[in-house]
Structures are given as structure tokens and as C-alpha cells.
């Protein structure tokens, strides 16, 4: 069921969804560990899709932590809410993260876990999302996203790495998670203190 929901989303909007299958639990574990979700007071997730990352984030969050998950695709909002009914899945754009945080009386977050296909996006959208991320992350906050194993060799993937390095203090590329379709790796980027 989850696979077909994801495939339907991919066929309807391949650039926004980015893959034909949902990310694996193995990739979710790598991203949430890299983001230090278990230590965070406020966590933001971009693009929960069918809720694979969402479920792992929710499991790892401290009981008192605030967790906002933001999804643009209405179909995925319903799927993620069904999978994780206790999580606040917001139907909206990650570009509006500041607004959503303020609606819940929050001014910043400790980490952002992105399930968005950043390397697929055009430069202008990458810039907007990175600008928003830097705005809402606390000093020393962590931004994690992922790319497919081939993306560092493509122009959009190279552009993303360059933009991460230009905007964040420390950018680390983690090893490839082979148990994902297609295989993927995580970027871990730390905001300047």
C-alpha cells in the first residue's frame, strides 16, 4: 500500500517526489542519528512522504520535544497522518517553516530532517529552502538531507553540495546506505554558532 501511494505521487510529480519508492528504515536511522534527534527539544521534518522518517523521528524524540512535520502533497499528508496519528503533520510548504514554528510558539529548532529530493530542485528553490533552514535553526543546529548515490556527479547534486558548504560551518557526507532504493547517502550540515 505504501509503495503504491509513493509510486502514485512520483508519477504525478516526479521532480517533487524524487523517487519511485519510499526511503528505507535504514536511511531513516542514519539521518535521525546524524541530526541528533534524540537530544533535540524541537525537531522539524521536511517532506515526510509516507512517514518512514516521521515514524523513526517520533520514536527517537524526547517525550517533551516538539516535532513539526511539513508536507506539501495532500495525499502524503493523509498517509503520514494515518501512519503517525500522534505527530503534527502540517499540510504546507517547507518554505513557510518560520510561520509554522511561530504558530506553535516556537522561535527556532535544533534540527531539520529533510526527506525532500533537494538535488532534484532548481537552484532558486534550493536557495529558498536553505535560507529558511538557516533562519529557523538555532546556532549550532543540524540540517540533514540525503542524495542518491549518483547525485554528487550530476550538476544539480554538485550545486547542492557547494551551497551546503557555502552556507553551513561543517558539511559531512555520510557513507552510502545500500539498503535503500536507490542507494542513498546523507549530508549532515551544522549551522554556525
Amino acid at each position: 500500500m505504501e509503495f503504491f501511494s509513493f509510486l502514485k505521487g512520483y508519477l504525478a510529480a516526479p521532480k517533487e517526489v524524487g523517487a519511485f519508492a519510499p526511503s528505507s528504515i535504514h536511511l531513516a536511522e542514519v539521518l535521525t542519528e546524524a541530526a541528533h534527534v534524540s537530544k533535540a527539544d524541537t525537531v522539524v521534518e521536511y517532506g515526510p512522504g509516507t512517514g518512514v522518517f516521521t515514524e523513526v523521528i517520533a520514536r527517537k524524540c524526547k517525550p517533551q520535544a516538539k516535532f513539526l512535520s511539513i508536507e506539501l502533497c495532500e495525499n502524503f499528508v493523509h498517509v503520514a497522518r494515518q501512519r503517525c496519528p500522534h505527530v503534527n503533520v502540517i499540510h504546507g510548504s517547507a518554505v513557510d517553516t518560520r510561520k509554522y514554528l511561530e504558530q506553535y510558539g516556537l522561535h527556532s529548532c535544533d534540527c531539520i530532517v529533510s526527506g525532500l529530493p533537494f538535488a532534484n530542485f532548481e537552484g532558486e528553490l534550493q536557495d529558498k529552502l536553505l535560507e529558511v533552514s538557516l533562519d529557523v535553526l538555532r546556532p549550532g543546529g543540524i540540517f540533514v538531507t540525503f542524495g542518491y548515490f549518483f547525485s554528487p556527479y550530476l550538476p544539480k547534486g554538485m550545486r547542492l553540495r557547494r551551497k551546503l558548504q557555502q552556507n553551513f560551518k561543517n558539511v559531512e557526507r555520510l557513507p552510502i546506505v545500500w539498503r535503500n532504493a536507490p542507494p542513498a547517502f546523507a549530508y549532515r550540515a551544522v549551522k554556525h554558532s
Side-chain angles (χ1 to χ4, degrees), residues 45-60:
E45 178 188 25
Y46 294 165
T50 58
V52 175
F53 292 177
T54 315
E55 196 170 60
V56 175
I57 293 167
R59 175 171 43 85
K60 291 185 176 185

Side-chain angles (χ1 to χ4, degrees), residues 60-134:
K60 291 185 176 185
C61 274
K62 298 187 288 190
Q64 70 276 21
K66 305 291 185 201
F67 173 27
L68 302 181
S69 183
I70 305 166
E71 174 59 60
L72 188 59
C73 173
E74 188 172 0
N75 180 49
F76 286 157
V77 170
H78 295 304
V79 174
R81 285 177 179 166
Q82 286 178 342
R83 183 176 189 154
C84 304
H86 53 288
V87 173
N88 184 9
V89 180
I90 298 166
H91 183 203
S93 172
V95 171
D96 297 319
T97 300
R98 163 68 57 207
K99 176 180 81 172
Y100 300 130
L101 284 169
E102 289 176 354
Q103 285 174 355
Y104 290 90
L106 303 167
H107 303 293
S108 65
C109 61
D110 300 298
C111 62
I112 296 170
V113 177
S114 174
L116 297 174
F118 255 85
N120 282 7
F121 295 156
E122 295 300 327
E124 186 179 341
L125 181 55
Q126 282 182 353
D127 289 342
K128 281 183 186 175
L129 289 167
L130 289 175
E131 183 181 316
V132 167
S133 299
L134 286 166

Side-chain angles (χ1 to χ4, degrees), residues 6 8 11 21 46 51 60 92 108 113 149 155 161 164 177 184 193:
F6 210 89
K8 180 181 170 187
L11 293 173
Y46 294 165
K60 291 185 176 185
S108 65
V113 177
F149 73 100
R161 183 177 178 98
L164 287 170
V177 177
S193 299

Side-chain angles (χ1 to χ4, degrees), residues 20 24 27 146-152 175-186:
F20 58 88
S24 72
L27 183 60
F146 71 94
Y148 296 116
F149 73 100
F150 50 80
S151 66
I176 293 173
V177 177
W178 294 103
R179 293 172 72 184
N180 193 72
F185 65 90

Side-chain angles (χ1 to χ4, degrees), residues 164-183:
L164 287 170
Q165 291 172 332
Q166 289 167 351
N167 287 286
F168 289 88
K169 177 178 78 172
N170 182 27
V171 178
E172 180 183 6
R173 183 177 151 191
L174 302 178
I176 293 173
V177 177
W178 294 103
R179 293 172 72 184
N180 193 72

